[in-house]
Amino acid sequence: MLRQEGGRLEEKSSRSSAPKARRFSSELGPRALGVVMNLPTLAMLALVLAYPIFYAAYLSVHKVTLAELRRGIFPFVGLANYERILSDPLFILSLKNTLVFTAFSVSIEIVLAVAIALLIDQTHVWTSRVTKFLILLPYAVPPIANGLIWAFMYNCDFGFLTRILFTVGAIHAPINWAGDPDTALFALAVPYIWRTLPFAILLVHAALQGISPELYEAAAIDGAGAFARFQHITLPLLRPIIVVILVLRTSFAFAVFEEVLAITQGGPGDATWVAAWYSYKKSFAPPFDIGVGSASAYVLALIVGAIAIGYVKSIYRRVQ
């Protein structure tokens, strides 16, 4: 009897708990359930991303130098740090260099990514299989190692690039690519493009896989040539992924740092001072003005955000 009663009790308890579970699941809608399931991720992002962002904002409106760090007291200065950088000719120059670097590298990268993705998408071309393997190699090289490799290649005395150009007769005197103010910024762009191009190629190639072959067959029946098919079918369908690449590559190009550190360190003179290098030098070089460095980083982030919004609006307006 006790066992039977225990069994009945257990059965009753299980029956009573089942409606509660059903009631809880029915009360929790799909959106609320999604929020609950994502709470651990949101908490981790808040710790890893949100806290440093808000703390940098706090530092940008305070005076934070080596002396304040020793005392542990950061006087509030309001927008004084922002006024200092906006009136600093070196910061304006670094923004101009960053804009030139970004425009050159991103435009070249988009063109090369589309061209190479179209090449490797041709299964009847034997080089496409080799290219699919080779394009992944630069992406596996760490940024600082990539900069050191190209710094050695750019060396005007024993660099690999100078030796090749001498051999083919393209130059008759050594050229200091990274040491000439006229070519130094573009010399930084080449290794940056070489390192980041595989990511853009993979995105474009994946987008090409989603285009139905029937569209090309119908266009070919109507008499459209290869260029017409690319212009009226491929390019419009690639615009969404091109927007993604533009936003990502622009934001990363604005924050380029490793190649500058490894190849030129801002030189010659101030020819390769970019925005990220300006923030680094202000924060971690004498007089270690971390407040000014944080303010310059926030100005850079606002510029990148405005450009990204402009990309999305302009491209999607054309698509519609």
Side-chain angles (χ1 to χ4, degrees):
M1 291 294 291
L2 291 174
R3 290 180 182 177
Q4 290 180 355
E5 289 178 1
R8 290 173 185 175
L9 288 174
E10 289 178 359
E11 186 178 356
K12 288 180 180 180
S13 63
S14 62
R15 287 177 181 177
S16 61
S17 61
K20 291 181 180 179
R22 291 196 200 99
R23 233 183 354 258
F24 178 76
S25 61
S26 61
E27 291 176 357
L28 198 62
R31 292 185 179 180
L33 181 62
V35 172
V36 172
M37 297 296 290
N38 284 284
L39 278 178
T41 302
L42 294 174
M44 185 61 64
L45 288 175
L47 291 174
V48 176
L49 295 177
Y51 174 74
I53 290 173
F54 286 111
Y55 189 63
Y58 169 81
L59 295 177
S60 69
V61 293
H62 290 77
K63 183 180 179 181
V64 186
T65 62
L66 194 60
E68 281 73 27
L69 287 172
R70 288 174 176 172
R71 292 197 302 266
I73 300 173
F74 307 148
F76 178 77
V77 295
L79 299 178
N81 290 330
Y82 292 92
E83 294 175 358
R84 284 180 59 186
I85 62 173
L86 293 177
S87 60
D88 187 358
L90 188 57
F91 179 73
I92 303 301
L93 177 63
S94 67
L95 283 182
K96 291 180 180 178
N97 290 339
T98 304
L99 288 172
V100 173
F101 177 89
T102 302
F104 178 78
S105 61
V106 173
S107 58
I108 296 296
E109 188 171 340
I110 292 292
V111 173
L112 290 177
V114 174
I116 297 175
L118 288 172
L119 175 63
I120 65 177
D121 194 51
Q122 306 299 319
T123 55
H124 61 278
V125 181
W126 70 270
T127 55
S128 63
R129 299 178 182 178
V130 180
T131 309
K132 287 180 182 179
F133 169 73
L134 293 178
I135 61 173
L136 297 176
L137 294 179
Y139 202 59
V141 178
I144 193 67
N146 175 59
L148 294 174
I149 292 170
W150 281 87
F152 177 78
M153 292 177 62
Y154 283 145
N155 190 281
C156 61
D157 295 324
F158 50 83
F160 189 63
L161 182 60
T162 301
R163 184 179 294 272
I164 291 177
L165 295 177
F166 261 119
T167 303
V168 300
I171 60 174
H172 303 285
I175 299 176
N176 192 358
W177 302 98
D180 188 345
D182 296 328
T183 60
L185 194 61
F186 300 101
L188 286 178
V190 172
Y192 176 80
I193 294 172
W194 184 81
R195 174 172 64 87
T196 58
L197 182 60
F199 178 76
I201 295 173
L202 292 176
L203 290 181
V204 177
H205 180 60
L208 288 173
Q209 301 300 306
I211 301 177
S212 175
E214 296 176 357
L215 298 175
Y216 296 107
E217 294 173 1
I221 293 173
D222 292 337
F227 182 76
R229 293 196 298 269
F230 172 77
Q231 183 179 5
H232 297 289
I233 297 176
T234 307
L235 192 58
L237 294 176
L238 287 180
R239 278 178 180 168
I241 200 65
I242 289 176
V243 172
V244 174
I245 296 172
L246 282 173
V247 172
L248 292 177
R249 291 274 60 91
T250 299
S251 60
F252 285 112
F254 259 84
V256 63
F257 176 77
E258 291 86 354
E259 281 79 9
V260 179
L261 176 64
I263 300 175
T264 63
Q265 296 187 355
D270 49 16
T272 57
W273 270 69
V274 291
W277 183 254
Y278 179 92
S279 300
Y280 167 76
K281 294 294 286 185
K282 287 295 181 180
S283 299
F284 303 108
F288 302 100
D289 201 335
I290 298 176
V292 173
S294 301
S296 64
Y298 259 84
V299 171
L300 179 62
L302 291 175
I303 294 174
V304 172
I307 293 175
I309 294 172
Y311 278 154
V312 174
K313 287 186 176 181
S314 62
I315 297 295
Y316 277 100
R317 189 181 298 117
R318 293 178 186 176
V319 173
Q320 293 173 355

